[in-house]
Amino acid sequence: MFAWQSDWVFTSHFNHCCGALLIARNEKIGHAMKPDLLNFYRLAIPVTIQILFLSARNIADILMTSSLGMIAVASVGISSKAIMVGMVALGGLASGSSVLGAQYWGEKNLVGLRKSIWLGLATSVLFVLLPILILFNIFPEHLVSLASADQTIVKNASAYLSVFGPAFIFLAINNVLGIALRVSGRAALATYASLIGVALNVGLSYVFIFGMGSIAAMGILGAAWATTISAAIEFLLIYVYFATRINFLLPKWSDLISINWAEVKSYAAISVPSTINGLLWAIGIFIYNIIYGRIGTEALAVMASLTPLESIAASVEQGLATATAILLGNSLGQSDFTKARADGFKYLKYSVCTSLILGIALIAVMPLFLSIFKLDGDKSQIAILVYLVMVLTFWVKTINAVGISGVLRSGGDVGAGLKIDMIGQWGVGIPLALIGAFVLKLSLPIVFALVMFEDICKAFLTTSRIKKYLWVKKVTV
């Protein structure tokens, strides 16, 4: 336990969390819940589900390709980490749209909200989409060879990335338009669109990977094609809804040409540090996978098999963080600084309670989860140990995700998040992983456990920064 545990009164809030999750079944408990808790979960749950749907694409690919052998799983696993770098960059740039959009919505400023969407779209195309298309479609072998010396894996993963590249066109647009839905209180609509997209993705993946009728089996390339096609269809659904039902939120050309330098600076002040933060973090994750891959193909396959577990945890963390950022952003946009100051740690406590409950559930289903991948011998024992480390540190990761991406970012205190991530990941986690893997020659579970010291360090720094309340301010102009 940490030295600051006295600041966390888990017992009372744990009961609130349990009650909120069961509210649909128990009206009496529901009436006893505080309105702010209910509002938190009404937003957090659909956002989490939407992010889970987005992650489900990758989870489905891992699950389906697991039957094709260890090389196929490792190839998709490496590809997914490279894709994650691009997705994190999109999220970082769009964070400006989210923070500004939430505060503009609190001010009832629709023009400002639409401008924030334009800024998110423009920067996503210039600084993420173009570089991704170049890397994935022109230099994929150079990228993949960093993580594995196995030429079969390099060839397979490079082909996968080349097919997946165009999907980023639609994922970038869907990401920003989804933010507009969430900050305007329409999180469920974005969830429905994602559900349709994921259902299409899973269905097409099955057909393309294994073949059906006149469609020949494509192997792992089928999964990449399925994602690209389903993302395009999801974009069409979202755009049609915007154009026909909520046209007042759809970005207009007049909004784009009226954006002034002060608005660009306000957006950049949030998005640039957030993007750098996200990219450095994602690159760090990719480096971790390079380290695991150099331990051996077996270690890489085990980590790839546990990607669905990481995706579930990350989805919950980001769902809770998004709900926190939007609710605090609304309060800050209305200049209700007293409420925002009080709610910061409150939402963080709700989030930790949620992660503890989920952690217990994930331990309970561990045998069923691992049985899906049919890991045998040493791989099975390694997977069990890494799984337990992941689950037991889930609540610590939640502190960092919600604290940095939720509380601090809601008021534009993104520079602190960048510093915290740099210190934790690049100053603690990566050096320990390198020493453990290449100097001490430790096994994968021990190396992975050493990496978790990154999150412990960041948890101390994050909570300390929140207590300074430098994030309690408006960022709109």
Side-chain angles (χ1 to χ4, degrees):
M1 299 298 286
F2 301 135
W4 41 262
Q5 63 183 351
S6 59
D7 294 324
W8 292 81
V9 188
F10 284 122
T11 304
S12 61
H13 289 286
F14 188 88
N15 291 332
H16 287 320
C17 290
C18 293
L21 294 174
L22 298 172
I23 188 169
R25 296 179 56 192
N26 194 323
E27 184 177 352
K28 183 177 180 180
I29 292 179
H31 284 304
M33 293 297 100
K34 295 180 179 180
D36 58 349
L37 179 63
L38 298 182
N39 289 336
F40 178 74
Y41 280 114
R42 285 192 186 109
L43 183 56
I45 290 174
V47 171
T48 298
I49 292 172
Q50 185 189 6
I51 299 173
L52 276 171
F53 287 155
L54 293 174
S55 301
R57 290 185 167 96
N58 186 42
I59 294 173
D61 291 347
I62 293 288
L63 292 175
M64 291 186 192
T65 56
S66 64
S67 64
L68 301 179
M70 186 170 66
I71 295 295
V73 172
S75 299
V76 175
I78 288 178
S79 300
S80 70
K81 299 306 178 185
I83 291 166
M84 183 187 69
V85 174
M87 293 301 294
V88 167
L90 287 178
L93 287 172
S95 66
S97 298
S98 181
V99 173
L100 291 173
Q103 295 201 12
Y104 279 131
W105 184 258
E107 297 175 357
K108 309 302 180 186
N109 183 348
L110 292 179
V111 174
L113 174 55
R114 292 197 299 267
K115 287 182 179 181
S116 70
I117 296 172
W118 263 124
L119 288 166
L121 288 171
T123 52
S124 293
V125 170
L126 289 174
F127 300 113
V128 180
L129 184 56
L130 292 179
I132 283 292
L133 291 176
I134 292 171
L135 280 174
F136 282 19
N137 294 88
I138 300 178
F139 304 111
E141 294 87 357
H142 295 80
L143 189 63
V144 177
S145 62
L146 294 173
S148 178
D150 190 314
Q151 290 304 304
T152 303
I153 292 178
V154 171
K155 180 181 178 181
N156 290 346
S158 298
Y160 184 96
L161 291 175
S162 296
V163 174
F164 193 99
F168 267 90
I169 297 172
F170 308 107
L171 293 173
I173 300 172
N174 294 345
N175 183 47
V176 179
L177 293 182
I179 287 173
L181 291 174
R182 289 194 292 271
V183 300
S184 63
R186 296 173 173 83
L189 296 176
T191 302
Y192 297 147
S194 294
L195 175 59
I196 295 172
V198 169
L200 283 170
N201 197 149
V202 173
L204 291 174
S205 287
Y206 183 84
V207 173
F208 292 163
I209 291 172
F210 302 110
M212 180 177 290
S214 60
I215 301 176
M218 302 181 194
I220 66 172
L221 293 185
W225 277 114
T227 298
T228 301
I229 294 170
S230 63
I233 294 173
E234 184 177 336
F235 158 70
L236 289 175
L237 291 173
I238 293 175
Y239 180 80
V240 168
Y241 184 85
F242 265 81
T244 59
R245 302 292 296 276
I246 51 173
N247 185 261
F248 62 91
L249 286 181
L250 194 64
K252 307 180 189 306
W253 289 111
S254 59
D255 299 323
L256 177 62
I257 62 178
S258 66
I259 294 174
N260 58 51
W261 183 242
E263 290 167 332
V264 173
K265 287 201 301 182
S266 181
Y267 175 85
I270 299 168
S271 292
V272 172
S274 295
T275 303
I276 295 173
N277 185 2
L279 280 175
L280 289 174
W281 175 81
I283 292 170
I285 295 296
F286 192 64
I287 289 175
Y288 285 140
N289 278 270
I290 291 175
I291 294 171
Y292 303 146
R294 296 297 174 174
I295 290 176
T297 300
E298 184 178 84
L300 193 61
V302 168
M303 294 305 299
S305 298
L306 292 174
T307 296
L309 177 63
E310 288 184 301
S311 297
I312 292 170
S315 298
V316 174
E317 292 161 5
Q318 288 307 308
L320 296 168
T322 300
T324 298
I326 290 175
L327 291 172
L328 291 178
N330 289 160
S331 296
L332 294 171
Q334 297 168 16
S335 299
D336 193 347
F337 301 125
T338 301
K339 176 174 171 54
R341 184 184 177 98
D343 286 347
F345 264 109
K346 184 188 298 180
Y347 293 147
L348 189 57
K349 292 172 184 178
Y350 292 162
S351 300
V352 171
C353 293
T354 304
S355 67
L356 288 171
I357 294 170
L358 182 59
I360 293 170
L362 289 172
I363 290 176
V365 301
M366 180 175 68
L368 175 63
F369 184 96
L370 294 178
S371 68
I372 296 173
F373 296 97
K374 300 179 177 62
L375 299 172
D376 54 9
D378 292 339
K379 290 196 292 293
S380 176
Q381 293 302 312
I382 292 171
I384 290 173
L385 293 174
V386 174
Y387 185 107
L388 288 173
V389 174
M390 282 186 180
V391 172
L392 293 175
T393 57
F394 177 29
W395 68 279
V396 183
K397 288 180 175 292
T398 300
I399 293 173
N400 300 325
V402 176
I404 294 173
S405 299
V407 180
L408 297 180
R409 191 170 291 177
S410 68
D413 192 13
V414 290
L418 172 59
K419 294 175 184 176
I420 291 170
D421 271 330
M422 283 289 290
I423 293 171
Q425 187 177 59
W426 294 86
V428 177
I430 290 176
L432 286 178
L434 289 170
I435 293 171
F438 302 124
V439 178
L440 302 179
K441 307 292 184 182
L442 300 173
S443 63
L444 174 63
I446 298 177
V447 172
F448 187 76
L450 288 175
V451 170
M452 294 303 103
F453 279 96
E454 167 196 332
D455 291 294
I456 295 174
C457 172
K458 285 163 61 176
F460 278 109
L461 297 174
T462 299
T463 52
S464 296
R465 182 68 179 187
I466 293 173
K467 290 176 183 178
K468 293 182 179 179
Y469 297 105
L470 298 176
W471 52 273
V472 182
K473 62 182 184 296
K474 289 186 68 172
V475 294
T476 53
V477 295

